[in-house]
Amino acid sequence: MPIAFDNSYARLPERFHALTPPTPVPEPRLVRLNGALADELGLDRDWLASPEGISVLAGNAVAPGSTPIATAYAGHQFGNFVPQLGDGRAILLGEVLDRSGVRRDIQLKGAGRTRFSRGGDGRAALGPVMREYIVSEAMAALGIKTTRALAFVLTGAAVMRDAPLPGAILTRVAASHIRIGTFQFFAARQDVEALRLLADHVIARHYPQAAAAAKPYLALLEAVIAAQADLVVRWLLVGFIHGVMNTDNASIAGETIDYGPCAFLDAYDPETVFSAIDAGGRYAYGNQPGIVLWNLTRLAEAVLPLLATETDAAVALAQAALGAFGPRYQAAYDAGIARKLGLAGDSEADTGLGAELLGLLAARGADFTLSFRHLSRLHAGLAGEEPLRAALGHDPALDGWLARWRERSAGTTRDAMLTVNPAFIPRNHRIEAAIAAAQEHDDFAPFEELLAVLARPFDEQAAFADYEDPPQPHERVRRTFCGT
Ligand code: AMP
Ligand code: MG
């Protein structure tokens, strides 16, 4: 058996999923295989790249041991509850145990219609598949919990969006594809038995320590709250904007999932929104922590019947668990900013220095990533003050700030900042250029080069220094689309 599947989610009762083989495509072409990830999963990369393997990655064949399913979930989309969403364009092939014994999902995104497709075609276009591939792999290289991209095939069939676009399928790997919306699906149906089965599955799979707690389901809720708090801090520290933080796009395992109109900040402005469908700015960069808490509150509501038999008691437990979010988030954020500044982070003065620098960046519209990298190089002795001063438009307010920062950072490790402040992030204009080259000229060289640079975000890569640069005014991408 080329892939040693063991499909625990498919063994859950029928109302959790719909058995759905992928729909074949005319002319599969493997554009990229993530060999390192294949190795990590214990998969045979040569087999995956063989005609037989490509058939599986394109949905033209079902591998032995695979139980292809579309999973059921609900979700709040932009604040409105939709009782049934589910995998409308994704099919879970099954699970494998990776080299470290961790259970991982292997899913095809764009593999055809399912019971949950509603009006959609179940397909994905080249651009969104490339964007997800690039950004999810960049997030992994940045050390942020995320779903991964194992492979990307072109289908040989066009998908109809505003115009016909090349169809593509992404093979996505995740700790699991269970979402806050999966719990909401059963809560909305008052199916407490399913809620319990789901919670037991999640505890066994993601939070085994909760099983030993006095109240395992409360411990599960607390663990998800902690995981989501830590995740959103990591997003903020690299300038990531998810773009569609609906509860169906919130992973129970605490991974970044469902890359749609996501993008990274160039200029620092907490109100930044890229997603074309986020007209109200609900999912703006700076709103993300509040939205995570909002989503976690929906999770807490969904699992109330598991927390206690009396509703009042359950609500009290849920509220106490949610109350831990704020302090955990703030402590992790403050510590993260202190690390970005090369400070010990053990005093209010450090927190103040962080807030002040962010204020300067915002006032000057300075590039978030580059400013921190310039400061890191200054601290490491790789550069002087000039690049940072230039990035901040030679703001005279920087003088006083630098003097105080020097005082507080004097004793800290010289190159530590270089390991937390990336030089390379998947900048929007680079992603769009890679997509355009592929779409218009079947040229995947810019995509490959971008992936290679982003795989080493903290290294100095002098030959690719221009990948550090923010967009020129004419290159700036202001809007991103989910492309569904
Ligand atoms: P997402 O944009 O990934 O958060 O998707 C929201 C919902 O729409 C999910 O239930 C998806 O499965 C569904 N969906 C998105 N695109 C398509 C499509 N092309 N065909 C069918 N369903 C889709
Ligand atoms: Mg989604």
Side-chain angles (χ1 to χ4, degrees), residues 78 273 275-282 479:
F78 292 91
V273 175
S275 169
I277 54 170
D278 190 7
R282 178 181 172 90
R479 284 282 163 266

Side-chain angles (χ1 to χ4, degrees), residues 73 179 248-249 258:
Y73 53 84
R179 302 138 192 280
D248 52 302
N249 294 336
D258 277 11

Side-chain angles (χ1 to χ4, degrees), residues 176-238:
S176 81
H177 284 85
I178 302 167
R179 302 138 192 280
I180 289 180
T182 316
F183 281 88
Q184 291 182 289
F185 179 85
F186 295 113
R189 287 157 182 76
Q190 299 182 339
D191 185 345
V192 179
E193 188 199 66
L195 272 179
R196 186 166 287 121
L197 285 170
L198 180 62
D200 289 341
H201 177 92
V202 168
I203 288 173
R205 189 164 176 181
H206 300 306
Y207 303 105
Q209 70 284 4
K215 294 184 187 300
Y217 300 126
L218 178 63
L220 165 61
L221 177 62
E222 289 167 345
V224 177
I225 289 169
Q228 284 282 337
D230 295 349
L231 181 67
V232 75
V233 166
R234 299 302 306 273
W235 290 359
L236 295 183
L237 293 175
V238 296

